[in-house]
Every structure is written in structure tokens, then in C-alpha cells.
């Protein structure tokens, strides 16, 4: 995995040099405010504010920067996340990227890096990623989503994510309905299920719970949003 990390850093550094050396075009961006909570415990809830901007730096190449803040009510935790993506677009239908980011809070401090990609065919868009940790606590994470344009202003997204943190494995399933209220503005509602499995020193525990969420997203740029989704542990937590 060290090769992936080095490649992520090299691509990110090269992209930033290109940005500084020539005029760049902002092709997409978004600002998302959302809230979510566990269905069986209203104290387990989260608020998030996420922003991202994608900039074309050369033919077929772009760089994206993410900045997000998460507030978890029950544990009174605030987490700030920053991430940089280097993206290659071999065609209008596909994007391939490398990313490197960090999440900082009182109890959550992770450096992560990985691979990602999107592909659109007809009314379907697929997006997947593999994420790895910089330290021994965060082992890896994987995810896959499929978005179907059911109508001109309505999309349905189905997603699965799993994260392995030391001796704890978290899994998350979700279904999201996205309505384009006006040009550049969409609202969404989400339902899903989260589960955990803990196994350490002979102690085993597991549980699952459903969750609900809702939010609003402001899109900009000719692509109508950022090229890649936000990624990270905090982004996956519907409530703590």
C-alpha cells in the first residue's frame, strides 16, 4: 500500500504545480448541509457541512479539494476533514482518481489515502473507492454506489460502505432519493442501516440500527457538482 500512498502524494503535488503554472478552470463544485440520526435513539445524531471544488488543470486532468465539518451530538465531538484528489478522465463517461486526506477531532484523527473511480452509462452512474489508513488504527475501507436517473429531476442512489478500524468493523447500507428543486439546488432524503462487529481479546460484540437523514445541496460549474464524492470515516457516521 505504500506505493499507492506515494502515488497519491506525487499526483497531488504535480496537480498543484500545474494549477500554479497556468490558468485553471473551475468545472464543478458543491456545498452540502445534512443531518442524520439513528432511528432508535434520537440522541445519536450528526450534522455536517461539506464543500468541494473541482478544477481542470490540463487536458483530461483535474484536481479536487474537499473541506468538511461534522458535529456528533451524543459524544459532543467536532471533526474537520480535508482531502485532495488527483483525477484523470479518459473519456466523458469515466473518471479515475487518487486521494489523500485527514480527519481531525478530539477522538478521531486519521490520515487516509486511496483509489477511486466513476463511470456513467445511460441513466446509471457507478462510483467506487478503496481507502487505506496511514496508521495502525485505520486499516482500510471500501465502498460502491449506483445512482439511477429515474426522472429528469429525480435520482435514486444505492450505496454500500465498509470500514475496518483496528478490531472494529463498520458496515453501512443506504438508499437516497435526490430531487432537483431548481437549477443548481437539490434536496435529498436518505434511509439506511448501519452495523458494527467488535472482536478483541476474547470480547465480542455486534449490533445494527437503522438511520434516516436529509439535506440540501448547492451545485455549481458546468458539470453541476464535484467530480468525486466526499470520503472518510466521519462522512459515513449517521450519528454518535
Amino acid at each position: 500500500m505504500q506505493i499507492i500512498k506515494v502515488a497519491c502524494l506525487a499526483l497531488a503535488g504535480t496537480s498543484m504545480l500545474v494549477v500554479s503554472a497556468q490558468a485553471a478552470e473551475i468545472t464543478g463544485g458543491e456545498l452540502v448541509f445534512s443531518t442524520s440520526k439513528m432511528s432508535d435513539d434520537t440522541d445519536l445524531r450528526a450534522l455536517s457541512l461539506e464543500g468541494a471544488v473541482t478544477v481542470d488543470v490540463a487536458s483530461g486532468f483535474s484536481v479536487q479539494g474537499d473541506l468538511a465539518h461534522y458535529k456528533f451530538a451524543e459524544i459532543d465531538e467536532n471533526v474537520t476533514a480535508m482531502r485532495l484528489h488527483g483525477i484523470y478522465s479518459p473519456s466523458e463517461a469515466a473518471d479515475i482518481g487518487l486521494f489523500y486526506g485527514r480527519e481531525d477531532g478530539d477522538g478521531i484523527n486519521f490520515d487516509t489515502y486511496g483509489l477511486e473511480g466513476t463511470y456513467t452509462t445511460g441513466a446509471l452512474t457507478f462510483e467506487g473507492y478503496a481507502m487505506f489508513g496511514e496508521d495502525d488504527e485505520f486499516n482500510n475501507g471500501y465502498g460502491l454506489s449506483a445512482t439511477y436517473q429515474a426522472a429528469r429531476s429525480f435520482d435514486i442512489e444505492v450505496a454500500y460502505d465498509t470500514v475496518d478500524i483496528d478490531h472494529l468493523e463498520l458496515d453501512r447500507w443506504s438508499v437516497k432519493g435526490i430531487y432537483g428543486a431548481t437549477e443548481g439546488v437539490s434536496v435529498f432524503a436518505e434511509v439506511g442501516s448501519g452495523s458494527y462487529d467488535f472482536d478483541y481479546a476474547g470480547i465480542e460484540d455486534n449490533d445494527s440500527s437503522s438511520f434516516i437523514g436529509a439535506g440540501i445541496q448547492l451545485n455549481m460549474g458546468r458539470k453541476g457538482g464535484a467530480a468525486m464524492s466526499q470520503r472518510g470515516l466521519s462522512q459515513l457516521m449517521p450519528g454518535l
Side-chain angles (χ1 to χ4, degrees), residues 54-231:
T54 305
V55 179
D56 275 1
V57 296
S59 179
F61 291 91
S62 58
V63 62
Q64 177 179 315
D66 303 339
L67 181 62
H69 185 77
Y70 304 92
K71 168 70 175 178
F72 298 102
E74 177 67 9
I75 63 173
D76 193 26
E77 173 77 283
N78 292 278
V79 179
T80 298
M82 295 177 288
R83 188 159 283 104
L84 185 65
H85 309 250
I87 304 166
Y88 170 61
S89 303
S91 69
E92 286 291 327
D95 293 313
I96 302 168
L98 302 172
F99 63 89
Y100 193 96
R102 180 167 180 81
E103 297 175 64
D104 282 310
D106 291 337
I108 298 177
N109 296 279
F110 294 121
D111 287 310
T112 54
Y113 57 94
L115 311 169
E116 59 192 348
T118 68
Y119 180 72
T120 299
T121 174
L124 277 170
T125 297
F126 299 95
E127 184 167 358
Y129 68 91
M131 180 168 56
F132 308 96
E134 172 70 4
D135 52 42
D136 293 335
E137 292 184 1
F138 192 107
N139 296 325
N140 54 66
Y142 305 92
L144 179 65
S145 66
T147 303
Y148 174 65
Q149 187 178 17
R152 181 176 180 181
S153 299
F154 185 70
D155 295 344
I156 300 173
E157 178 188 278
V158 179
Y160 169 72
D161 301 271
T162 182
V163 178
D164 185 1
I165 309 169
D166 205 1
H167 305 281
L168 179 66
E169 182 177 325
L170 303 173
D171 294 283
R172 184 185 194 271
W173 291 91
S174 64
V175 177
K176 181 188 293 186
I178 307 164
Y179 173 66
T182 62
E183 184 176 357
V185 180
S186 58
V187 294
F188 59 86
E190 182 179 30
V191 295
S193 176
S195 64
Y196 72 87
D197 192 347
F198 178 81
D199 186 356
Y200 179 67
I203 301 175
E204 297 184 17
D205 190 22
N206 58 77
D207 197 7
S208 62
S209 176
S210 59
F211 66 86
I212 57 175
I216 182 170
Q217 178 168 322
L218 309 178
N219 299 313
M220 65 177 184
R222 60 180 172 81
K223 292 188 176 180
M228 295 292 180
S229 300
Q230 299 267 352
R231 325 208 176 280

